[in-house]
Amino acid sequence: MIDPNLLRPFLKTTIDSTDFPQFGERYQGKVRDVYTLKDGKRMLLVATDRQSAFDVAWCTIPLKGQVLSSISAWWFKQIAGIMPTHVLATPDPNVTLVKKLNMFKVELVVRGYLTGSSNTAAWTHYAAGEREMCGEVMPDGMVKNQPFPAAIVTPTTKDEHDEPINPQQIVERGLMTQEQWDEARAGALALFAEGQRIAAERGLILVDTKYEMGLDDEGRILVADEVHTPDSSRYWIASTYAERFAKGEEPESLDKEFFRLWLREAGYKDGGPKPEITDDVRIMLAAKYIDLYERVTGETFEVPSDPDVAGRIAKNCLAVL
């Protein structure tokens, strides 16, 4: 685990937003600032340090953007043989240069375990007595954090607040054709299986994740946005899972589910008063993100020597545009 003292100097230099008009028109997502380049065919995905949970923006986490962008770049390389991706280059640790796609307005959420704490989580629905979710049937008699007999795909809409949707509704609303849905679903399950295999080799459990996909100019379905990052995925420590599960304890987590649980324990309820996010919590989250990067990739995370991250991003990106 990285020394927290190495991260404290970055508490005051986190990137909440970027302003690079020289790159093109900017759109701000929950975590990324997306620039559409002037050629209209490429985009720059700039990962900021913004932290969201329960569809709420909370704070910034030191070096989180670098971790997210770097781990996603690593995963894109690992899964390139499973499905084509939108990645063209990674000009900076915080940035991915990608093809501009016609994105599906659907997120493909793949779940290997019955867990979660948000309104769209499988466990939330199951605990309320529901046994069908997005067209997938969940067996009776399951308990929280138990693996499903086989991974399930529970799509959601891509709106301000994601809502569960079933495959029939996806086709009826014209969000995807039946053929596109079938291909995307099969691809998502294949990506998840490969992700679980690689994670297991690193002593981790890839619990669930989400994929975003879109069409390129040739009509091919490509994987986009991010892959298997701690913001889009849930990871548990494999070595302690069985013992904790037997005791009814929460698994050791290396993703932002830790932050969700922390918020719940601090008394947060959807739409209610926000608890204070202390610097110690921000450092703890940063260390968890970095720990996950190192565990998954087997590489040592490089703490930047230059605190001017925004200046570095501009310099590196302009060199390749």
Side-chain angles (χ1 to χ4, degrees):
M1 180 74 75
I2 192 169
D3 182 354
N5 292 323
L6 295 177
L7 304 176
R8 290 195 178 276
F10 294 91
L11 283 168
K12 297 181 179 180
T13 62
T14 54
I15 299 178
D16 181 61
S17 180
T18 65
D19 184 19
F20 300 123
Q22 65 271 37
F23 292 168
E25 183 178 351
R26 183 189 68 171
Y27 162 79
Q28 280 196 315
K30 293 178 182 177
V31 174
R32 289 169 177 78
D33 287 357
V34 180
Y35 292 85
T36 300
L37 303 187
K38 295 177 182 179
D39 61 17
K41 296 182 178 181
R42 298 175 299 162
M43 299 191 305
L44 281 175
L45 308 185
V46 183
T48 71
D49 298 320
R50 296 193 292 267
Q51 178 73 26
S52 66
F54 301 116
D55 289 325
V56 174
W58 291 91
C59 59
T60 55
I61 304 300
L63 301 178
K64 177 191 171 185
Q66 180 177 333
V67 171
L68 289 186
S69 187
S70 297
I71 197 171
S72 190
W74 187 88
W75 272 113
F76 271 122
K77 292 178 182 178
Q78 310 309 310
I79 56 91
I82 308 294
M83 282 189 74
T85 79
H86 70 160
V87 176
L88 296 172
T90 51
D92 182 88
N94 282 65
V95 182
T96 309
L97 177 66
V98 303
K99 288 183 181 181
K100 184 178 180 181
L101 305 179
N102 181 16
M103 297 296 295
F104 295 122
K105 295 182 179 180
V106 174
E107 292 183 348
L108 288 89
V109 182
V110 185
R111 305 178 189 273
Y113 290 73
L114 179 62
T115 192
S117 58
S118 68
N119 290 335
T120 58
W123 173 247
T124 302
H125 288 260
Y126 196 91
E130 300 176 32
R131 292 299 178 266
E132 183 175 330
M133 185 176 185
C134 304
E136 297 274 9
V137 177
M138 299 180 287
D140 287 327
M142 294 186 69
V143 296
K144 189 179 184 184
N145 301 327
Q146 181 178 347
F148 288 115
I152 63 174
V153 182
T154 57
T156 65
T157 60
K158 284 177 60 178
D159 299 312
E160 183 177 351
H161 298 288
D162 300 339
E163 296 292 340
I165 187 171
N166 65 47
Q168 182 178 347
Q169 292 171 323
I170 289 173
V171 175
E172 289 176 347
R173 295 182 191 180
L175 300 178
M176 303 174 80
T177 66
Q178 185 66 54
E179 183 180 5
Q180 289 169 340
W181 166 253
D182 291 342
E183 181 180 344
R185 181 182 185 277
L189 287 171
L191 292 170
F192 187 67
E194 181 68 359
Q196 284 196 312
R197 183 189 69 80
I198 293 175
E201 291 178 348
R202 269 65 170 182
L204 299 172
I205 298 172
L206 176 59
V207 179
D208 50 41
T209 192
K210 71 175 180 68
Y211 301 107
E212 297 192 32
M213 301 181 187
L215 296 172
D216 67 6
D217 291 340
E218 300 174 3
R220 298 184 304 161
I221 297 180
L222 273 61
V223 184
D225 193 49
E226 60 186 332
V227 172
H228 301 160
T229 70
D231 264 17
S232 66
S233 313
R234 197 187 320 266
Y235 286 92
W236 293 337
I237 304 297
S239 62
T240 58
Y241 164 73
E243 181 180 355
R244 284 174 171 262
F245 178 73
K247 293 180 179 179
E249 298 175 351
E250 287 297 317
E252 286 187 273
S253 179
L254 280 175
D255 53 72
K256 74 175 184 181
E257 181 66 10
F258 161 82
F259 185 50
R260 294 191 188 101
L261 293 173
W262 183 91
L263 290 170
R264 292 302 195 203
E265 290 171 0
Y268 176 72
K269 297 181 179 180
D270 294 349
K274 291 184 177 182
E276 179 187 2
I277 311 300
T278 66
D279 284 351
D280 285 341
V281 172
R282 294 170 66 203
I283 289 292
M284 187 182 302
L285 277 170
K288 280 183 172 288
Y289 279 124
I290 292 170
D291 186 25
L292 178 58
Y293 170 85
E294 295 185 335
R295 285 174 184 255
V296 169
T297 66
E299 301 171 359
T300 300
F301 180 80
E302 295 186 11
V303 177
S305 58
D306 185 355
D308 183 16
V309 176
R312 186 202 68 208
I313 291 173
K315 179 180 178 181
N316 289 341
C317 291
L318 288 174
V320 300
L321 299 182

